[in-house]
């Protein structure tokens, strides 16, 4: 599970009263033990963010300081903070989920884009501007092992599936052209699917991977690309302009900032099936 924008937490229920200004926070994750993990907006001067951990009753349990902008990931025993630093490095922090103690910390060269957890291993994708290469870095208590995926593109998402991985990429010289890379368990590319979009986020539902695409010419993130895992055939669907997306069972929740609306996109029907207008909901 990955953390979500606090925009969705505002919709689900009010943020905890102990937080002086909810606008200072960006993402949240409710772990399997019922604790709420909140990430602050990064302090540009310090290049750091804070992680606040609350119990189910709303009391502050811990507060951690990390380098960079944070995304949170949960496994059965860990809470992992993957951070995009301001100094050209990525930082990965591994916390014990129950004790909220730091177990390990790693530094990754380049810009860290996404992370996947597989049993006792973490798999991060990053881009290094020093050599114009994309990397897959596998991390465990034994250390780090980096594999070059290629040059001239940066990876935007990774999903562990079966024995291998799927990685989305954006081409640096073709801003509206992206790829889905299928990797085997060793990180070797075995299949490539070209898509006419700049992949922004990567999801999985049933037998499909779903790419949230950004049109770099218009700046609009207004379509989804479904890729069937068995055939690797792609189909594109238009969606409302979307600032952020959250997964919810057979739906994607699409947040439109302009209209202050939440659209429920149904994977099975491949269309919007309901809309919530937030300005009315929050004022009622």
């Amino acid at each position: 599970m990955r953390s979500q924008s606090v925009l969705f937490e505002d919709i689900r229920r009010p943020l905890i009263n102990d937080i002086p200004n909810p606008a200072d926070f960006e993402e949240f994750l409710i772990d399997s033990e019922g604790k709420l993990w909140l990430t602050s907006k990064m302090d540009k001067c310090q290049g750091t963010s804070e992680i606040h951990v609350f119990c189910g009753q709303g009391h502050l349990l811990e507060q951690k300081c990390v380098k960079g902008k944070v995304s949170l990931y949960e496994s059965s025993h860990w809470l992992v903070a993957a951070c995009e630093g301001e100094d050209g490095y990525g930082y990965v922090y591994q916390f014990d989920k129950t004790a909220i103690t730091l177990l390990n910390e790693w530094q990754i060269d380049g810009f860290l884009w996404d992370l996947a957890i597989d049993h006792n291993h973490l798999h991060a994708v990053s881009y290094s501007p020093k050599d114009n290469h994309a990397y897959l870095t596998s991390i465990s208590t034994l250390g780090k092992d980096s594999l070059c995926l290629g040059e001239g593109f940066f990876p935007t998402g990774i999903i562990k599936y079966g024995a291998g991985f799927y990685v989305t990429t954006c081409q640096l010289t073709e801003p509206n052209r992206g790829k889905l890379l299928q990797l085997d368990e060793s990180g070797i590319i075995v299949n490539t699917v070209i898509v006419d979009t700049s992949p922004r986020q990567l999801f999985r539902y049933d037998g499909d991977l779903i790419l949230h695409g950004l049109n770099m010419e218009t700046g609009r993130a207004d379509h989804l690309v479904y890729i069937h895992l068995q055939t690797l055939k792609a189909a594109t669907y238009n969606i409302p302009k979307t600032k952020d997306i959250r997964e919810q069972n057979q739906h994607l929740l699409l947040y439109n900032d302009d209209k202050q609306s939440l659209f429920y996109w149904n994977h099975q029907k491949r269309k919007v099936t309901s809309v919530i207008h937030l300005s009315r909901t929050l004022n009622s």
Side-chain angles (χ1 to χ4, degrees):
M1 179 186 295
R2 180 176 178 172
S3 54
Q4 309 286 347
S5 168
V6 293
L7 295 168
F8 298 112
E9 181 70 359
D10 278 333
I11 296 162
R12 263 185 6 94
R13 60 181 175 83
L15 286 169
I16 295 173
N17 293 329
D18 289 348
I19 299 173
N21 185 6
D24 291 337
F25 295 87
E26 285 201 320
E27 296 196 359
F28 79 98
L29 187 148
I30 300 175
D31 67 26
S32 60
E33 298 177 359
K35 294 190 294 295
L36 172 65
W37 299 64
L38 274 171
T39 69
S40 69
K41 293 183 177 179
M42 186 176 66
D43 185 322
K44 293 284 187 179
C45 296
Q46 300 294 326
T48 59
S49 302
E50 291 184 342
I51 301 173
H52 302 255
V53 188
F54 295 84
C55 68
Q57 289 72 41
H59 305 299
L60 181 64
L61 300 175
E62 288 284 349
Q63 187 170 317
K64 306 289 187 181
C65 183
V66 295
K67 296 179 181 178
K69 181 180 178 181
V70 191
S71 292
L72 300 173
Y73 301 80
E74 182 186 10
S75 71
S76 55
H77 301 292
W78 308 328
L79 210 297
V80 177
C83 307
E84 181 185 344
E86 289 282 280
D87 53 3
Y89 293 96
Y91 298 91
V92 178
Y93 300 84
Q94 181 189 44
F95 296 97
D96 180 283
K97 189 165 57 177
T98 301
I100 321 177
T101 54
L102 180 64
L103 300 176
N104 290 292
E105 177 183 348
W106 299 275
Q107 178 179 295
I108 293 177
D109 291 338
F111 296 101
L112 175 62
W113 284 88
D114 197 10
L115 182 142
I117 302 176
D118 176 38
H119 301 297
N120 295 322
H121 289 77
L122 310 177
H123 305 280
V125 286
S126 61
Y127 170 76
S128 173
K130 296 177 183 178
D131 57 11
N132 191 28
H133 284 91
Y135 290 93
L136 169 66
T137 301
S138 296
I139 307 169
S140 71
T141 53
L142 300 177
K144 298 183 302 180
D145 183 25
S146 292
L147 177 69
C148 179
L149 297 176
E151 65 177 331
F153 62 84
F154 56 89
T156 59
I158 180 172
I159 282 181
K160 183 74 173 66
Y161 184 79
F165 307 89
Y166 287 93
V167 175
T168 48
T169 71
C170 289
Q171 307 303 117
L172 293 177
T173 57
E174 299 178 89
N176 282 327
R177 179 65 61 87
K179 293 180 180 179
L180 175 71
L181 306 179
Q182 182 184 5
L183 314 179
D184 65 15
E185 63 274 12
S186 301
I188 305 301
I189 299 173
V190 295
N191 272 310
T192 300
V193 179
I194 297 175
V195 291
D196 292 324
T197 188
S198 177
R200 188 178 175 200
Q201 292 172 281
L202 177 62
F203 307 97
R204 181 169 68 88
Y205 177 76
D206 200 9
D208 293 294
L209 293 176
I210 302 100
L211 284 61
H212 181 210
L214 175 66
N215 186 315
M216 300 295 287
E217 294 177 354
T218 64
R220 294 177 64 90
D222 57 4
H223 55 277
L224 298 172
V225 180
Y226 281 74
I227 300 177
H228 194 271
L229 285 167
Q230 297 300 319
T231 65
L232 296 183
K233 290 184 177 180
T236 301
Y237 299 86
N238 292 326
I239 60 172
K241 179 183 175 184
T242 301
K243 181 179 181 180
D244 212 332
I245 294 183
R246 177 183 179 183
E247 295 179 276
Q248 189 183 83
N249 302 320
Q250 75 267 29
H251 293 97
L252 289 177
L253 277 59
L254 316 176
Y255 176 70
N256 181 289
D257 195 28
D258 295 338
K259 297 182 179 180
Q260 288 287 293
S261 298
L262 185 68
F263 296 84
Y264 279 72
W265 174 272
N266 188 294
H267 285 303
Q268 297 171 345
K269 296 182 179 180
R270 307 281 174 95
K271 66 178 183 179
V272 172
T273 53
S274 61
V275 182
I276 297 175
H277 298 289
L278 306 180
S279 55
R280 301 174 192 173
T281 303
L282 297 176
N283 293 330
S284 61

